[in-house]
Amino acid sequence: MGSSGFLPSGSLLESLVHLSDEVSSVEKLPLVQGRNISTMIRRIKVLTSLFEEIKEANSTATQLPPSSVLCLTELFSVIRRVKVLIQGCKDGSSLWGLIQTETTSNQFFVLVKEIGRALDILPLSLLNLTADIREQVELLHKQAKRVELFVDPREVQRRDELLKVMASNNEKNMKHAVNRCSIDIEAVKLVFSSIGLRSSLDYEEEMSKLEAEAQKQAGTGGLIVVSNIKNLVALVSYSKSMVFSEESKKDDIKQSSVSVSSNTDQSSTSQSMSFNIPDEFRCPISLDLMKDPVIVASGHTYDRNSIAQWINTGHHTCPKSGQRLIHMALIPNYALKSLVHQWCQENNIPLMECSSNASESEINSKQNAAEKAVDHISTTKVAIDSVKMTAEFLVGKLAMGSLDIQRQAAYELRLLAKTGMDNRRIIAEAGAIPFLVTMLTSNDPRIQENAVTALLNLSIFDNNKILIMAAGAIGNIVEVLELGKTTEARENAAAAIFSLSMIDDFKVTIGAHARAILALVGLLREGTTTGKRDAAMALSNLALYGANKTNIVVAGAVQLLIELLMDDKAGITDDALGVLALLSSCAQGLEDIKNSRALVPLLIDLLRFGSAKGKENSITLLLGLCKGGGEEVTRRLLINPRSIPSLRSLAADGAPKARRMADALLRLLNRCCSQSHNPIR
């Protein structure tokens, strides 16, 4: 608040009117949390009328009581959170919203209570309000004070029905039921319809929203939460195929009969018309169901016959991405193949041929094994088992294969480890890490690059960081960082060091390696923009451990980082500033930074034009320089005409930490000026 206690302008009221109008004008309320949202919007409309009236009165009477300003500021914060919550309910997954109905309802309850607490300090008697508005606000205040948590019983019932459907299969399996259970599709369809999922497009959008929610929850919500969301994705996917394939059968039962009985080339087309084949099961080339899905070098999946014909006609690019294929090997996509088999069995669609080079007995044995291993509705278990089989197969090739086979296997493991924590865990459990660490010393550029990138991807899973370090990888990774045979290998080695150094103990271990920091500084000097950024991020992590700071300074990082700050083309300003801010806390680092005469003007400019993080690091450096650099740095700051306005602007409008440091630096400069009888004004 301003020290005068009065609102200096109508900017706060204008912001409140604009924000509350945005909330009040929300249309097409979601079916989940509909009542809580509509009730909240009615409350905000009352506040909108209050804000508009205060704004009109304030245009003639320029002063507002301090308690009014405090109340309005609190209401602005609450309404902003209301907007975010309502937007989340609208844009987020309806199913996840249903599962979380009690949690979300409680969030609305807490926000209403906060509105009541804010209105506690609103001096209505001191404000020039009409009787009508005064009555409405007083009523809103009373309602907010005595409001109770509302959880829609219909949503609770739908949620319980959904959870019951999801749990029924596991329950029956635990009781050793003789018959395999199946989902009650009608019950699922009823629940889905009640929250607005009625068309195939609705189902697809819901799956996308659930995937986005899983990404959001990864690392914060915990493995159980992410697993539950993935199970919901599987349920929606399964239900979509069942609900809409049944409708298709009813509409065109004759055509369906023809497609099932036909063994000619026309059968694929007929199947596609009779059954609503999920898009992910269609070959991008033929648009028919993939009987034998395989992965090409670009990472995309096609039906074996279609992609083989494409390659045999002289093409050397991926049909979907246009990317040039670095090899022509076709790797079976076991995960997708199992899902296709399951879907076909559930829809009574025969698969004429599962593999162009597998015998009928092998196919039957694989199908039987899959039927025993895979639960009737658990696509998650199918995927995990398939990844496990693929990982074990590829690790065997790493161990026993020729150079070409090892190169291909390392590449496939690199791709497999690129997505999904389960994939990373399974690959490590299959024993891939020791073989990949050994391959870092390979003379083959592609093997080395694939191995270091696979280790980088695997290290995203925290337990794998421990396994990689235990395998003695750091020496080989540093060697790739120094002498890697490709630019990408060196860059990914730096990124791997950044990932491994997220664990505090490994900051010590990596920093103690004789060449690790020198190699990172070398990449900072010679690398591409990506390489420099990877090196800066790794150095930033390592600099969090005190003993590493001196080693980084001795390696010559300070001058390089300052040069990168002045190089517009480098594109790593924030990363370089972050490392310099950390190094300024050690004596030798501060001395090296202080010796750069070009740095202070640059930091002043960054206070004005930098990002929020850049401003924070710039003020950290300037404060450290003034405290440790004495009169010389302070004098340079004072004679620069842009420094004081920039600091005042940051002290007024910056992030909390930046404001505190800007205030501290202004006080320090003022003391220096006071001693010279020329205080800052």
Side-chain angles (χ1 to χ4, degrees):
M1 300 306 111
S3 59
S4 64
F6 299 109
L7 189 65
S9 71
S11 58
L12 175 59
L13 283 166
E14 287 173 5
S15 299
L16 277 166
V17 170
H18 178 70
L19 181 62
S20 53
D21 277 342
E22 283 185 339
V23 175
S24 302
S25 61
V26 170
E27 298 178 350
K28 295 182 181 178
L29 301 186
L31 294 176
V32 179
Q33 291 296 331
R35 182 165 165 183
N36 275 326
I37 292 173
S38 60
T39 305
M40 181 64 82
I41 288 174
R42 284 199 300 274
R43 293 185 173 111
I44 299 301
K45 284 180 178 177
V46 172
L47 292 175
T48 304
S49 301
L50 170 67
F51 302 147
E52 288 173 344
E53 191 144 318
I54 294 176
K55 183 183 174 185
E56 287 176 10
N58 192 50
S59 64
T60 55
T62 57
Q63 296 180 347
L64 280 177
S67 57
S68 298
V69 178
L70 181 59
C71 170
L72 295 175
T73 305
E74 289 296 317
L75 286 173
F76 182 80
S77 173
V78 174
I79 297 171
R80 189 164 48 187
R81 282 181 284 152
V82 167
K83 179 186 173 184
V84 171
L85 183 57
I86 292 175
Q87 203 63 45
C89 293
K90 277 194 69 180
D91 298 341
S93 159
S94 298
L95 281 174
W96 186 243
L98 194 62
I99 297 289
Q100 297 288 101
T101 185
E102 290 175 350
T103 302
T104 308
S105 297
N106 189 62
Q107 289 176 303
F108 278 106
F109 170 71
V110 169
L111 288 170
V112 175
K113 283 293 186 185
E114 289 191 23
I115 290 173
R117 284 194 289 272
L119 292 175
D120 284 342
I121 57 174
L122 181 65
L124 286 173
S125 59
L126 300 179
L127 297 175
N128 185 19
L129 301 175
T130 62
D132 184 43
I133 294 296
R134 191 185 306 276
E135 280 182 20
Q136 289 183 40
V137 174
E138 287 173 346
L139 180 60
L140 172 62
H141 186 199
K142 289 175 184 175
Q143 290 174 342
K145 297 298 287 183
R146 64 170 185 261
V147 72
E148 295 182 356
L149 173 65
F150 174 76
V151 182
D152 193 328
R154 293 170 300 176
E155 291 180 12
V156 173
Q157 182 182 353
R158 292 170 194 154
R159 184 213 42 205
D160 292 344
E161 288 170 359
L162 180 63
L163 293 175
K164 183 179 177 183
V165 167
M166 293 176 68
S168 63
N169 185 59
N170 289 336
E171 282 180 18
K172 292 188 179 182
N173 283 343
M174 289 170 65
K175 293 175 183 175
H176 305 287
V178 176
N179 297 325
R180 295 165 74 192
C181 90
S182 60
I183 287 180
D184 184 349
I185 286 296
E186 287 304 316
V188 173
K189 187 177 177 182
L190 192 63
V191 173
F192 284 7
S193 178
S194 71
I195 59 172
L197 305 184
R198 297 185 178 93
S199 68
S200 176
L201 181 60
D202 292 336
Y203 279 60
E204 289 171 7
E205 288 179 353
E206 181 64 18
M207 283 189 282
S208 298
K209 290 176 180 179
L210 283 167
E211 290 287 1
E213 186 64 38
Q215 290 285 337
K216 190 170 104 178
Q217 294 286 345
T220 56
L223 292 176
I224 294 176
V225 172
V226 175
S227 175
N228 288 338
I229 297 173
K230 291 291 186 183
N231 286 337
L232 281 173
V233 175
L235 176 63
V236 177
S237 177
Y238 175 82
S239 302
K240 173 177 173 278
S241 64
M242 292 299 293
V243 169
F244 295 103
S245 66
E246 284 299 320
E247 291 178 1
S248 179
K249 288 179 194 175
K250 289 175 185 176
D251 291 342
D252 204 353
I253 191 166
K254 290 183 179 180
Q255 195 172 359
S256 174
S257 174
V258 170
S259 72
V260 170
S261 61
S262 174
N263 290 330
T264 65
D265 290 339
Q266 275 186 308
S267 64
S268 296
T269 306
S270 182
Q271 281 179 11
S272 300
M273 292 170 64
S274 303
F275 295 94
N276 189 12
I277 300 172
D279 289 341
E280 59 269 27
F281 294 168
R282 293 181 184 272
C283 173
I285 298 175
S286 66
L287 301 181
D288 289 328
L289 183 68
M290 286 188 277
K291 300 171 184 175
D292 187 12
V294 292
I295 304 169
V296 298
S298 64
H300 292 290
T301 298
Y302 301 92
D303 186 69
R304 183 184 292 274
N305 287 339
S306 298
I307 192 63
Q309 186 176 1
W310 170 268
I311 291 171
N312 290 339
T313 54
H315 295 94
H316 300 289
T317 56
C318 170
K320 195 169 184 179
S321 67
Q323 178 183 345
R324 185 169 183 80
L325 301 175
I326 61 173
H327 61 75
M328 300 300 147
L330 305 178
I331 308 300
N333 189 333
Y334 293 114
L336 184 57
K337 192 170 186 177
S338 295
L339 291 172
V340 171
H341 280 196
Q342 182 186 350
W343 183 83
C344 288
Q345 289 163 6
E346 289 161 354
N347 290 277
N348 298 318
I349 300 175
L351 276 173
M352 304 303 172
E353 185 179 337
C354 293
S355 175
S356 60
N357 55 9
S359 68
E360 189 177 346
S361 61
E362 288 173 334
I363 294 167
N364 290 335
S365 67
K366 285 179 182 176
Q367 286 177 333
N368 293 336
E371 284 184 3
K372 292 176 183 177
V374 179
D375 182 82
H376 186 62
I377 63 169
S378 179
T379 56
T380 302
K381 189 176 186 304
V382 174
I384 288 174
D385 287 348
S386 299
V387 171
K388 185 177 179 182
M389 184 183 358
T390 304
E392 289 171 350
F393 170 79
L394 292 172
V395 171
K397 297 301 181 186
L398 286 183
M400 306 294 292
S402 65
L403 201 64
D404 287 341
I405 290 174
Q406 286 181 335
R407 186 186 303 115
Q408 179 60 29
Y411 178 76
E412 296 303 332
L413 285 170
R414 166 185 177 172
L415 289 180
L416 197 59
K418 193 173 182 179
T419 55
M421 289 298 183
D422 279 333
N423 289 8
R424 295 168 187 134
R425 173 182 57 79
I426 290 166
I427 292 168
E429 288 173 356
I433 287 174
F435 292 108
L436 291 169
V437 170
T438 302
M439 288 181 173
L440 294 175
T441 60
S442 172
N443 290 322
D444 185 293
R446 291 301 167 198
I447 289 179
Q448 185 187 70
E449 181 184 307
N450 290 333
V452 74
T453 309
L455 287 169
L456 165 62
N457 293 339
L458 289 171
S459 71
I460 297 170
F461 183 57
D462 279 348
N463 193 58
N464 286 351
K465 291 180 172 69
I466 298 168
L467 297 177
I468 291 168
M469 293 296 286
I474 192 60
N476 289 355
I477 292 174
V478 170
E479 186 175 334
V480 176
L481 178 60
E482 285 183 305
L483 307 168
K485 300 184 183 304
T486 67
T487 301
E488 188 176 350
R490 293 185 67 196
E491 291 170 353
N492 288 342
I497 289 176
F498 166 74
S499 178
L500 293 169
S501 63
M502 298 294 288
I503 294 179
D504 288 343
D505 287 347
F506 297 159
K507 290 179 175 68
V508 181
T509 307
I510 296 169
H513 189 281
R515 304 190 316 278
I517 288 174
L518 279 170
L520 286 169
V521 173
L523 186 62
L524 195 65
R525 181 184 299 109
E526 305 161 358
T528 62
T529 298
T530 301
K532 288 174 179 176
R533 181 175 292 110
D534 289 333
M537 289 170 66
L539 287 170
S540 180
N541 247 6
L542 293 174
L544 292 172
Y545 175 62
N548 289 338
K549 293 178 183 177
T550 303
N551 293 335
I552 295 172
V553 174
V554 170
V558 169
Q559 189 54 41
L560 270 175
L561 291 165
I562 292 172
E563 288 172 5
L564 289 171
L565 281 181
M566 294 185 286
D567 183 0
D568 293 336
K569 295 179 181 177
I572 62 164
T573 301
D574 283 354
D575 299 299
L577 273 174
V579 182
L580 284 171
L582 288 167
L583 297 180
S584 68
S585 63
C586 80
Q588 192 168 350
L590 185 60
E591 190 63 30
D592 280 13
I593 293 169
K594 188 172 64 174
N595 290 335
S596 172
R597 298 190 63 83
L599 183 60
V600 170
L602 181 60
L603 293 176
I604 292 169
D605 286 341
L606 288 170
L607 288 180
R608 301 170 66 203
F609 306 116
S611 65
K613 192 67 181 173
K615 290 177 181 178
E616 188 176 303
N617 285 324
S618 296
I619 191 66
T620 300
L621 279 165
L622 286 170
L623 188 58
L625 284 168
C626 284
K627 286 181 176 179
E631 242 176 71
E632 171 60 22
V633 178
T634 306
R635 188 182 63 78
R636 276 189 263 162
L637 256 181
L638 289 170
I639 63 175
N640 190 308
R642 297 189 301 275
S643 59
I644 302 304
S646 298
L647 287 170
R648 283 179 171 159
S649 175
L650 191 61
D653 303 321
K657 184 178 177 182
R659 285 205 305 266
R660 288 196 300 273
M661 288 189 289
D663 281 334
L665 185 51
L666 282 168
R667 287 196 299 272
L668 189 152
L669 294 174
N670 205 29
R671 282 200 301 273
C672 293
C673 289
S674 296
Q675 291 168 5
S676 64
H677 308 290
N678 188 24
I680 296 172
R681 296 190 184 279

